PDB file of all heavy atoms in Angstrom:
ATOM      1  N   GLN A  14      24.047  42.625 -62.364  1.00  0.00           N
ATOM      2  CA  GLN A  14      25.244  41.828 -62.570  1.00  0.00           C
ATOM      3  C   GLN A  14      25.536  40.965 -61.355  1.00  0.00           C
ATOM      4  O   GLN A  14      25.135  41.284 -60.231  1.00  0.00           O
ATOM      5  CB  GLN A  14      26.446  42.725 -62.862  1.00  0.00           C
ATOM      6  CG  GLN A  14      26.372  43.450 -64.197  1.00  0.00           C
ATOM      7  CD  GLN A  14      27.619  44.269 -64.473  1.00  0.00           C
ATOM      8  OE1 GLN A  14      28.263  44.773 -63.562  1.00  0.00           O
ATOM      9  NE2 GLN A  14      27.961  44.398 -65.750  1.00  0.00           N
ATOM     10  N   ALA A  15      26.219  39.853 -61.582  1.00  0.00           N
ATOM     11  CA  ALA A  15      26.619  38.990 -60.478  1.00  0.00           C
ATOM     12  C   ALA A  15      27.378  39.790 -59.432  1.00  0.00           C
ATOM     13  O   ALA A  15      28.232  40.617 -59.759  1.00  0.00           O
ATOM     14  CB  ALA A  15      27.468  37.837 -60.994  1.00  0.00           C
ATOM     15  N   GLY A  16      27.047  39.536 -58.166  1.00  0.00           N
ATOM     16  CA  GLY A  16      27.635  40.278 -57.068  1.00  0.00           C
ATOM     17  C   GLY A  16      26.849  41.498 -56.664  1.00  0.00           C
ATOM     18  O   GLY A  16      27.145  42.094 -55.621  1.00  0.00           O
ATOM     19  N   GLY A  17      25.856  41.855 -57.453  1.00  0.00           N
ATOM     20  CA  GLY A  17      25.045  43.015 -57.157  1.00  0.00           C
ATOM     21  C   GLY A  17      23.939  42.718 -56.172  1.00  0.00           C
ATOM     22  O   GLY A  17      23.863  41.638 -55.594  1.00  0.00           O
ATOM     23  N   ALA A  18      23.048  43.696 -56.007  1.00  0.00           N
ATOM     24  CA  ALA A  18      21.989  43.593 -55.018  1.00  0.00           C
ATOM     25  C   ALA A  18      20.677  44.131 -55.563  1.00  0.00           C
ATOM     26  O   ALA A  18      20.654  45.008 -56.437  1.00  0.00           O
ATOM     27  CB  ALA A  18      22.365  44.367 -53.756  1.00  0.00           C
ATOM     28  N   LEU A  19      19.592  43.587 -55.055  1.00  0.00           N
ATOM     29  CA  LEU A  19      18.249  44.055 -55.346  1.00  0.00           C
ATOM     30  C   LEU A  19      17.413  43.964 -54.084  1.00  0.00           C
ATOM     31  O   LEU A  19      17.676  43.130 -53.214  1.00  0.00           O
ATOM     32  CB  LEU A  19      17.578  43.216 -56.438  1.00  0.00           C
ATOM     33  CG  LEU A  19      18.020  43.390 -57.885  1.00  0.00           C
ATOM     34  CD1 LEU A  19      17.336  42.342 -58.756  1.00  0.00           C
ATOM     35  CD2 LEU A  19      17.700  44.784 -58.386  1.00  0.00           C
ATOM     36  N   LYS A  20      16.394  44.800 -54.012  1.00  0.00           N
ATOM     37  CA  LYS A  20      15.417  44.707 -52.942  1.00  0.00           C
ATOM     38  C   LYS A  20      14.029  44.575 -53.553  1.00  0.00           C
ATOM     39  O   LYS A  20      13.578  45.452 -54.280  1.00  0.00           O
ATOM     40  CB  LYS A  20      15.467  45.933 -52.026  1.00  0.00           C
ATOM     41  CG  LYS A  20      14.556  45.800 -50.805  1.00  0.00           C
ATOM     42  CD  LYS A  20      14.724  46.976 -49.845  1.00  0.00           C
ATOM     43  CE  LYS A  20      13.865  46.808 -48.604  1.00  0.00           C
ATOM     44  NZ  LYS A  20      14.070  47.914 -47.639  1.00  0.00           N
ATOM     45  N   LEU A  21      13.375  43.471 -53.252  1.00  0.00           N
ATOM     46  CA  LEU A  21      12.024  43.226 -53.714  1.00  0.00           C
ATOM     47  C   LEU A  21      11.022  43.684 -52.661  1.00  0.00           C
ATOM     48  O   LEU A  21      11.262  43.561 -51.458  1.00  0.00           O
ATOM     49  CB  LEU A  21      11.808  41.738 -53.999  1.00  0.00           C
ATOM     50  CG  LEU A  21      12.792  41.066 -54.956  1.00  0.00           C
ATOM     51  CD1 LEU A  21      12.380  39.615 -55.172  1.00  0.00           C
ATOM     52  CD2 LEU A  21      12.876  41.814 -56.270  1.00  0.00           C
ATOM     53  N   SER A  22       9.893  44.192 -53.135  1.00  0.00           N
ATOM     54  CA  SER A  22       8.829  44.637 -52.251  1.00  0.00           C
ATOM     55  C   SER A  22       7.522  43.987 -52.666  1.00  0.00           C
ATOM     56  O   SER A  22       7.292  43.719 -53.845  1.00  0.00           O
ATOM     57  CB  SER A  22       8.673  46.162 -52.299  1.00  0.00           C
ATOM     58  OG  SER A  22       9.848  46.816 -51.889  1.00  0.00           O
ATOM     59  N   CYS A  23       6.664  43.752 -51.695  1.00  0.00           N
ATOM     60  CA  CYS A  23       5.345  43.189 -51.948  1.00  0.00           C
ATOM     61  C   CYS A  23       4.349  43.858 -51.021  1.00  0.00           C
ATOM     62  O   CYS A  23       4.551  43.863 -49.805  1.00  0.00           O
ATOM     63  CB  CYS A  23       5.351  41.678 -51.726  1.00  0.00           C
ATOM     64  SG  CYS A  23       3.718  40.904 -51.854  1.00  0.00           S
ATOM     65  N   ALA A  24       3.295  44.400 -51.600  1.00  0.00           N
ATOM     66  CA  ALA A  24       2.246  45.059 -50.837  1.00  0.00           C
ATOM     67  C   ALA A  24       0.953  44.266 -50.944  1.00  0.00           C
ATOM     68  O   ALA A  24       0.530  43.910 -52.051  1.00  0.00           O
ATOM     69  CB  ALA A  24       2.036  46.482 -51.337  1.00  0.00           C
ATOM     70  N   ALA A  25       0.340  43.996 -49.816  1.00  0.00           N
ATOM     71  CA  ALA A  25      -0.913  43.259 -49.768  1.00  0.00           C
ATOM     72  C   ALA A  25      -2.084  44.211 -49.591  1.00  0.00           C
ATOM     73  O   ALA A  25      -1.983  45.253 -48.937  1.00  0.00           O
ATOM     74  CB  ALA A  25      -0.897  42.243 -48.627  1.00  0.00           C
ATOM     75  N   SER A  26      -3.205  43.836 -50.174  1.00  0.00           N
ATOM     76  CA  SER A  26      -4.441  44.588 -50.004  1.00  0.00           C
ATOM     77  C   SER A  26      -5.602  43.608 -49.914  1.00  0.00           C
ATOM     78  O   SER A  26      -5.450  42.416 -50.157  1.00  0.00           O
ATOM     79  CB  SER A  26      -4.654  45.576 -51.154  1.00  0.00           C
ATOM     80  OG  SER A  26      -4.751  44.898 -52.394  1.00  0.00           O
ATOM     81  N   GLY A  27      -6.763  44.116 -49.568  1.00  0.00           N
ATOM     82  CA  GLY A  27      -7.921  43.270 -49.374  1.00  0.00           C
ATOM     83  C   GLY A  27      -8.084  42.921 -47.906  1.00  0.00           C
ATOM     84  O   GLY A  27      -7.984  43.792 -47.047  1.00  0.00           O
ATOM     85  N   SER A  28      -8.288  41.650 -47.621  1.00  0.00           N
ATOM     86  CA  SER A  28      -8.505  41.188 -46.251  1.00  0.00           C
ATOM     87  C   SER A  28      -7.180  40.967 -45.537  1.00  0.00           C
ATOM     88  O   SER A  28      -6.851  39.854 -45.105  1.00  0.00           O
ATOM     89  CB  SER A  28      -9.346  39.909 -46.258  1.00  0.00           C
ATOM     90  OG  SER A  28     -10.602  40.117 -46.862  1.00  0.00           O
ATOM     91  N   THR A  29      -6.416  42.029 -45.396  1.00  0.00           N
ATOM     92  CA  THR A  29      -5.055  41.903 -44.860  1.00  0.00           C
ATOM     93  C   THR A  29      -5.027  41.512 -43.396  1.00  0.00           C
ATOM     94  O   THR A  29      -4.013  40.991 -42.921  1.00  0.00           O
ATOM     95  CB  THR A  29      -4.278  43.202 -45.060  1.00  0.00           C
ATOM     96  OG1 THR A  29      -4.989  44.283 -44.447  1.00  0.00           O
ATOM     97  CG2 THR A  29      -4.084  43.486 -46.541  1.00  0.00           C
ATOM     98  N   ILE A  30      -6.107  41.745 -42.676  1.00  0.00           N
ATOM     99  CA  ILE A  30      -6.134  41.371 -41.269  1.00  0.00           C
ATOM    100  C   ILE A  30      -6.025  39.860 -41.096  1.00  0.00           C
ATOM    101  O   ILE A  30      -5.646  39.375 -40.037  1.00  0.00           O
ATOM    102  CB  ILE A  30      -7.407  41.913 -40.586  1.00  0.00           C
ATOM    103  CG1 ILE A  30      -7.298  41.816 -39.070  1.00  0.00           C
ATOM    104  CG2 ILE A  30      -8.641  41.166 -41.092  1.00  0.00           C
ATOM    105  CD1 ILE A  30      -8.431  42.509 -38.335  1.00  0.00           C
ATOM    106  N   SER A  31      -6.341  39.118 -42.149  1.00  0.00           N
ATOM    107  CA  SER A  31      -6.312  37.665 -42.086  1.00  0.00           C
ATOM    108  C   SER A  31      -4.927  37.071 -42.312  1.00  0.00           C
ATOM    109  O   SER A  31      -4.746  35.862 -42.153  1.00  0.00           O
ATOM    110  CB  SER A  31      -7.277  37.070 -43.113  1.00  0.00           C
ATOM    111  OG  SER A  31      -6.811  37.275 -44.433  1.00  0.00           O
ATOM    112  N   ILE A  32      -3.934  37.875 -42.683  1.00  0.00           N
ATOM    113  CA  ILE A  32      -2.619  37.369 -43.070  1.00  0.00           C
ATOM    114  C   ILE A  32      -1.770  37.042 -41.851  1.00  0.00           C
ATOM    115  O   ILE A  32      -1.630  37.850 -40.935  1.00  0.00           O
ATOM    116  CB  ILE A  32      -1.877  38.389 -43.950  1.00  0.00           C
ATOM    117  CG1 ILE A  32      -2.632  38.608 -45.253  1.00  0.00           C
ATOM    118  CG2 ILE A  32      -0.453  37.907 -44.226  1.00  0.00           C
ATOM    119  CD1 ILE A  32      -2.055  39.713 -46.111  1.00  0.00           C
ATOM    120  N   ASN A  33      -1.165  35.864 -41.869  1.00  0.00           N
ATOM    121  CA  ASN A  33      -0.164  35.489 -40.881  1.00  0.00           C
ATOM    122  C   ASN A  33       1.222  35.462 -41.521  1.00  0.00           C
ATOM    123  O   ASN A  33       2.072  36.292 -41.224  1.00  0.00           O
ATOM    124  CB  ASN A  33      -0.488  34.136 -40.265  1.00  0.00           C
ATOM    125  CG  ASN A  33       0.560  33.704 -39.255  1.00  0.00           C
ATOM    126  OD1 ASN A  33       1.291  34.522 -38.704  1.00  0.00           O
ATOM    127  ND2 ASN A  33       0.641  32.399 -39.003  1.00  0.00           N
ATOM    128  N   ILE A  34       1.443  34.510 -42.429  1.00  0.00           N
ATOM    129  CA  ILE A  34       2.732  34.348 -43.095  1.00  0.00           C
ATOM    130  C   ILE A  34       2.802  35.219 -44.344  1.00  0.00           C
ATOM    131  O   ILE A  34       1.836  35.319 -45.107  1.00  0.00           O
ATOM    132  CB  ILE A  34       2.963  32.883 -43.494  1.00  0.00           C
ATOM    133  CG1 ILE A  34       2.891  31.970 -42.265  1.00  0.00           C
ATOM    134  CG2 ILE A  34       4.279  32.719 -44.230  1.00  0.00           C
ATOM    135  CD1 ILE A  34       3.993  32.204 -41.272  1.00  0.00           C
ATOM    136  N   MET A  35       3.964  35.833 -44.573  1.00  0.00           N
ATOM    137  CA  MET A  35       4.275  36.472 -45.837  1.00  0.00           C
ATOM    138  C   MET A  35       5.685  36.062 -46.246  1.00  0.00           C
ATOM    139  O   MET A  35       6.526  35.785 -45.387  1.00  0.00           O
ATOM    140  CB  MET A  35       4.182  37.991 -45.758  1.00  0.00           C
ATOM    141  CG  MET A  35       2.790  38.513 -45.480  1.00  0.00           C
ATOM    142  SD  MET A  35       2.647  40.312 -45.689  1.00  0.00           S
ATOM    143  CE  MET A  35       2.671  40.430 -47.487  1.00  0.00           C
ATOM    144  N   GLY A  36       5.927  36.022 -47.543  1.00  0.00           N
ATOM    145  CA  GLY A  36       7.264  35.646 -47.977  1.00  0.00           C
ATOM    146  C   GLY A  36       7.399  35.561 -49.468  1.00  0.00           C
ATOM    147  O   GLY A  36       6.602  36.146 -50.216  1.00  0.00           O
ATOM    148  N   TRP A  37       8.432  34.817 -49.889  1.00  0.00           N
ATOM    149  CA  TRP A  37       8.828  34.760 -51.288  1.00  0.00           C
ATOM    150  C   TRP A  37       9.162  33.349 -51.717  1.00  0.00           C
ATOM    151  O   TRP A  37       9.836  32.605 -50.988  1.00  0.00           O
ATOM    152  CB  TRP A  37      10.052  35.660 -51.541  1.00  0.00           C
ATOM    153  CG  TRP A  37       9.801  37.097 -51.244  1.00  0.00           C
ATOM    154  CD1 TRP A  37       9.958  37.728 -50.055  1.00  0.00           C
ATOM    155  CD2 TRP A  37       9.335  38.079 -52.172  1.00  0.00           C
ATOM    156  NE1 TRP A  37       9.614  39.056 -50.173  1.00  0.00           N
ATOM    157  CE2 TRP A  37       9.227  39.298 -51.461  1.00  0.00           C
ATOM    158  CE3 TRP A  37       9.003  38.055 -53.518  1.00  0.00           C
ATOM    159  CZ2 TRP A  37       8.802  40.473 -52.068  1.00  0.00           C
ATOM    160  CZ3 TRP A  37       8.575  39.220 -54.118  1.00  0.00           C
ATOM    161  CH2 TRP A  37       8.479  40.416 -53.396  1.00  0.00           C
ATOM    162  N   TYR A  38       8.680  32.980 -52.890  1.00  0.00           N
ATOM    163  CA  TYR A  38       9.100  31.799 -53.618  1.00  0.00           C
ATOM    164  C   TYR A  38       9.690  32.253 -54.948  1.00  0.00           C
ATOM    165  O   TYR A  38       9.507  33.409 -55.360  1.00  0.00           O
ATOM    166  CB  TYR A  38       7.932  30.853 -53.873  1.00  0.00           C
ATOM    167  CG  TYR A  38       7.553  29.976 -52.700  1.00  0.00           C
ATOM    168  CD1 TYR A  38       7.067  30.522 -51.517  1.00  0.00           C
ATOM    169  CD2 TYR A  38       7.662  28.589 -52.790  1.00  0.00           C
ATOM    170  CE1 TYR A  38       6.714  29.716 -50.452  1.00  0.00           C
ATOM    171  CE2 TYR A  38       7.300  27.772 -51.729  1.00  0.00           C
ATOM    172  CZ  TYR A  38       6.828  28.344 -50.566  1.00  0.00           C
ATOM    173  OH  TYR A  38       6.469  27.532 -49.507  1.00  0.00           O
ATOM    174  N   ARG A  39      10.395  31.350 -55.626  1.00  0.00           N
ATOM    175  CA  ARG A  39      10.908  31.664 -56.943  1.00  0.00           C
ATOM    176  C   ARG A  39      10.811  30.446 -57.848  1.00  0.00           C
ATOM    177  O   ARG A  39      10.782  29.310 -57.381  1.00  0.00           O
ATOM    178  CB  ARG A  39      12.352  32.162 -56.871  1.00  0.00           C
ATOM    179  CG  ARG A  39      13.367  31.114 -56.424  1.00  0.00           C
ATOM    180  CD  ARG A  39      14.735  31.746 -56.250  1.00  0.00           C
ATOM    181  NE  ARG A  39      15.745  30.775 -55.852  1.00  0.00           N
ATOM    182  CZ  ARG A  39      16.988  31.092 -55.517  1.00  0.00           C
ATOM    183  NH1 ARG A  39      17.382  32.366 -55.530  1.00  0.00           N
ATOM    184  NH2 ARG A  39      17.851  30.132 -55.166  1.00  0.00           N
TER     185      ARG A  39
END
């Protein structure tokens, strides 16, 4: 509902050592 809250999670796998930026688009 409006005014509420959520927490999104994202887990990476594979060649994770290569990752610099992480984030979210919609």
Side-chain angles (χ1 to χ4, degrees):
Q14 292 183 329
L19 286 173
K20 186 175 183 177
L21 306 183
S22 299
C23 174
S26 61
S28 300
T29 57
I30 193 172
S31 70
I32 297 173
N33 179 22
I34 302 294
M35 295 190 74
W37 299 88
Y38 280 64
R39 67 186 181 186

